[in-house]
Amino acid sequence: MPPTETKPAKKTGVKVPHTMTERLLILLSRYREASIAVVAIVLVIYFQFGSDGGFLSPQFMSVVLRDTGRLGLIAAAEVMLMITGEIDLSLSAIFSIAPYVMALLSVTYGLPLAVGALIGVLIGILVGAINGIITVRFKVPSLITTVGMLFFLQGIVVSIYNSQPIVAPVEQPFNAIFGQSLYQPSDALLSWHGITAFTPFLWAVVLVLVLALVLARTTFGLHTIATGSNIIGAREIGVRTDRMKIYNFMIAGGFAAFAGIINTAQFTSADPQAGSPFLTLQAIAAAVIGGTSLLGGSGTVIGALIGAFVVASLNNGLVMIGAQATVSDIYLGAAIIAAMILSIQVDRLRTRRRV
Amino acid sequence: MNSQAIPPLAPDAPTVLEMSNISKSFGAVTALVDVSIKLRQGEVLALVGDNGAGKSTLIKILSGFHQPDTGTIVSQGKEVRFASPRDARAQGIETVYQDLALIGDLSVFHNMFLGREYHKRFLGLNLLDNRKMREQAQLYLDTLGITIPSVNSTVDLLSGGQRQCIAVARSIYSSPKILVLDEPLAALGVRESAHVLGLIQNLRQQRQVSVILIVHNYNQIFEVCDRINFLHSGEVALDASTADTSEEELIRIVKSGLGSRAIDAAAAEVRPGLV
């Protein structure tokens, strides 16, 4: 029979009556980035009033956005991995080792910082590739692979030079481009000097937008999502799932190395303990608060950047309004768990609803 | 419908696929022993057998998902080796797996084009041409008479029957030479089953596509298939044409089968000289 003759009955799926809460959750699922942005704005307003207007001052924003940039780069890279169903806990060690190598090469061999930075990023990408290959080929869960790599790299970086921080030389325009703040309170905010106050953040915005484009508009992004959403199915249809995972580990390593280099360019010092494991955990927190679940198959890098802003605001803002520094962790912990519960509820509801 | 509804296969139809002496083990478990199957152009071959008989393993070797331990595959006259499903798809062999291989988090149109995406150049970048894929998917599903709420909705929001239709549509979109369907009717209602069977008939008649079909409902086998291969304990125990076999005979053979010898005997009894 010709196929056009029979038409299967149109299925509209199960209709579930919606309560107010469910409607809210559906809205949240559609506009994940928007919902975390609302949280960020509420937080800003709260801190702005609590600090009598100090929170939104250029000086203070410079600090908050510096932390946002550093954290956001790592969080966004972590999101890519979380979409494939993996995680990388060694990023903080890459964050330390890449700029350390850069500074060491500059001090010992007089290598230009730009060249050292490139080598640092390549080291990050290489470490990512090793993480990926161990995870994929030997089927070691990435949680374990990368914890091993974390200790391994951290051991190396503190052994190189007896745990001593290295004072990195200043080379222009390298430092100005990659993070050194030339901002003085007398400068106009929209001048060249004013903009340098936000360099790490601007870099993060650019690179996160690139990742967002890759995720939404390229075959690479499509196959990344396919890998995490249904790994067997993706393989059956011909997606190279192993490669997708390895590539995303490499992206994560490169991003972490770059974040570390920006950090060093800003402080002109390479500390072998610049990235504590806590940095990676905060990045994962930012990713989760931004709306990415650990279940694989979905995630938002822009959400991760906003999530990083929320984490950085909590860290700095609470201190500013006079709370003890340690209090911010209490809020952060609660926020992570709440975000995760919300994320899972929203997902559940979405599939049950069957639009 | 009965077996007479199938127009006879052209006697000179060339062989498009020959899998010879395929064996496959997974550790200590032997899945296939020396299995050989042949497929001619425009032929619809039914693979039947109990659970664990090796049907799915055989087609996953043909689709490039598994690699055989021994044996050869000859497709369109030349020997081929499939390192991955990409290779098989490139050779015009499309497979609808039992699990459908759909990505729940991706939209219907992205699923339709997964692995063979349309691209467009934008500022020197090779970006996905989502608009084209969306339009093509919609157009193609309309032509096939498959109705879904929207090609934009993610696959995890569709019903089982809708998903199955999408998977079948994806497999025939690229005009394959060989189409492999592992239980394509499992989640379908009567109407949808008839629809998919109609699609298969159509492909066979108009485009001379060769089809390997794994089905459990023997009634459906006699509606669309030219030939039946009965797999038992990893071996082909029966190779018969549907025109020469009745449904009752097939059921008797399958039921009697506890070992390949018993089946040989049973088959010889119903049709001397067949095995």
Side-chain angles (χ1 to χ4, degrees), chain A residues 145-205:
Chain A
T145 312
T146 57
V147 166
M149 186 57 84
L150 169 68
F151 283 111
F152 182 79
L153 286 183
Q154 217 155 41
I156 287 180
V157 74
V158 296
S159 311
I160 293 176
Y161 206 61
N162 293 329
S163 308
Q164 293 303 306
I166 301 173
V167 176
V170 175
E171 287 172 18
Q172 297 301 3
F174 181 86
N175 286 71
I177 293 172
F178 290 104
Q180 187 190 27
S181 176
L182 305 171
Y183 176 73
Q184 300 295 326
S186 56
D187 288 325
L189 206 55
L190 283 172
S191 65
W192 161 240
H193 280 198
I195 286 171
T196 61
F198 305 101
T199 318
F201 177 69
L202 294 174
W203 272 109
V205 169

Side-chain angles (χ1 to χ4, degrees), chain A residues 217 219 223 229-230 236 238, chain B residues 86 99 102 105 117 119 128:
Chain A
R217 290 278 182 269
T219 299
H223 289 194
S229 180
N230 177 0
E236 284 173 340
Chain B
R86 299 175 86 86
D99 64 14
L102 294 173
D105 286 299
E117 299 83 3
H119 293 101
L128 292 173

Side-chain angles (χ1 to χ4, degrees), chain A residues 1 3-4 6-8 11 217-219 222-223 226 229-230 233 235-238 240 297 350-351 354-355, chain B residues 60 85-86 89 97 99 101-103 105 117 119 127-128 130 143 145 154 156-157 162 170 191 195 202:
Chain A
M1 81 202 80
T4 38
T6 43
K7 289 207 175 188
K11 291 213 169 171
R217 290 278 182 269
T218 67
T219 299
L222 213 56
H223 289 194
S229 180
N230 177 0
R235 252 181 229 158
E236 284 173 340
I237 208 67
R240 295 177 168 121
R350 200 179 71 98
T351 32
R354 297 214 157 160
V355 182
Chain B
K60 280 189 172 176
R86 299 175 86 86
R89 289 184 94 191
Y97 299 89
D99 64 14
L102 294 173
I103 310 300
D105 286 299
E117 299 83 3
H119 293 101
L127 300 185
L128 292 173
N130 284 333
T143 332
T154 56
D156 59 4
L157 301 177
Q162 288 168 335
R170 173 172 66 183
R191 246 180 114 121
H195 188 64
N202 224 38

Side-chain angles (χ1 to χ4, degrees), chain A residues 217, chain B residues 118-130:
Chain A
R217 290 278 182 269
Chain B
Y118 283 121
H119 293 101
K120 62 178 176 202
R121 303 294 291 178
F122 180 74
L123 300 174
L125 301 168
N126 210 15
L127 300 185
L128 292 173
D129 195 343
N130 284 333

Side-chain angles (χ1 to χ4, degrees), chain B residues 45 134 137 159 262 271:
Chain B
L45 171 70
R134 193 179 289 123
S159 72
R271 196 153 306 283

Side-chain angles (χ1 to χ4, degrees), chain A residues 1-342:
Chain A
M1 81 202 80
T4 38
E5 270 183 21
T6 43
K7 289 207 175 188
K10 180 167 175 167
K11 291 213 169 171
T12 41
V14 195
K15 280 261 182 278
V16 182
H18 299 156
T19 64
M20 275 303 284
T21 338
E22 282 183 336
R23 276 193 201 145
L24 189 68
L25 285 175
I26 290 161
L27 264 174
L28 283 177
S29 79
R30 272 194 205 143
Y31 307 102
R32 276 204 176 172
E33 290 91 350
S35 53
I36 178 64
V38 169
V39 172
I41 290 166
V42 169
L43 213 55
V44 167
I45 294 170
Y46 174 73
F47 284 134
Q48 178 70 356
F49 280 106
S51 64
D52 291 328
F55 189 76
L56 282 176
S57 69
Q59 289 90 335
F60 199 75
M61 262 302 114
S62 167
V63 173
V64 171
L65 291 179
R66 176 197 72 202
D67 289 0
T68 304
R70 179 169 65 185
L71 209 54
L73 280 172
I74 300 176
E78 200 76 78
V79 164
M80 295 296 283
L81 267 176
M82 284 157 77
I83 293 174
T84 70
E86 303 294 344
I87 200 160
D88 191 340
L89 295 181
S90 69
L91 295 183
S92 64
I94 298 174
F95 179 91
S96 301
I97 204 168
Y100 202 70
V101 168
M102 171 183 82
L104 202 65
L105 287 174
S106 168
V107 171
T108 334
Y109 300 105
L111 211 63
L113 285 181
V115 177
L118 192 66
I119 293 172
V121 170
L122 288 177
I123 289 174
I125 293 172
L126 179 73
V127 171
I130 296 170
N131 277 335
I133 290 167
I134 293 172
T135 301
V136 163
R137 295 270 180 267
F138 299 101
K139 308 211 186 304
V140 179
S142 53
L143 190 76
I144 307 300
T145 312
T146 57
V147 166
M149 186 57 84
L150 169 68
F151 283 111
F152 182 79
L153 286 183
Q154 217 155 41
I156 287 180
V157 74
V158 296
S159 311
I160 293 176
Y161 206 61
N162 293 329
S163 308
Q164 293 303 306
I166 301 173
V167 176
V170 175
E171 287 172 18
Q172 297 301 3
F174 181 86
N175 286 71
I177 293 172
F178 290 104
Q180 187 190 27
S181 176
L182 305 171
Y183 176 73
Q184 300 295 326
S186 56
D187 288 325
L189 206 55
L190 283 172
S191 65
W192 161 240
H193 280 198
I195 286 171
T196 61
F198 305 101
T199 318
F201 177 69
L202 294 174
W203 272 109
V205 169
V206 169
L207 289 172
V208 167
L209 286 178
V210 169
L211 276 192
L213 181 80
V214 165
L215 203 51
R217 290 278 182 269
T218 67
T219 299
F220 183 91
L222 213 56
H223 289 194
T224 296
I225 297 169
T227 299
S229 180
N230 177 0
I231 190 160
I232 304 278
R235 252 181 229 158
E236 284 173 340
I237 208 67
V239 173
R240 295 177 168 121
T241 55
D242 285 357
R243 284 192 206 184
M244 296 318 298
K245 286 190 173 181
I246 293 171
Y247 290 155
N248 279 298
F249 270 109
M250 290 163 77
I251 290 176
F255 266 60
F258 185 71
I261 284 161
I262 282 184
N263 197 48
T264 290
Q266 188 169 31
F267 296 115
T268 64
S269 160
D271 187 339
Q273 279 150 348
S276 80
F278 207 62
L279 181 66
T280 318
L281 295 183
Q282 284 194 336
I284 292 168
V288 170
I289 290 170
T292 300
S293 78
L294 284 151
L295 308 172
S298 68
T300 149
V301 288
I302 291 171
L305 185 60
I306 305 173
F309 177 77
V310 168
V311 173
S313 296
L314 276 176
N315 283 346
N316 294 298
L318 285 168
V319 178
M320 184 175 210
I321 62 169
Q324 276 191 320
T326 44
V327 172
S328 71
D329 285 349
I330 299 174
Y331 287 94
L332 191 55
I336 294 164
I337 294 169
M340 202 65 209
I341 291 172
L342 191 68

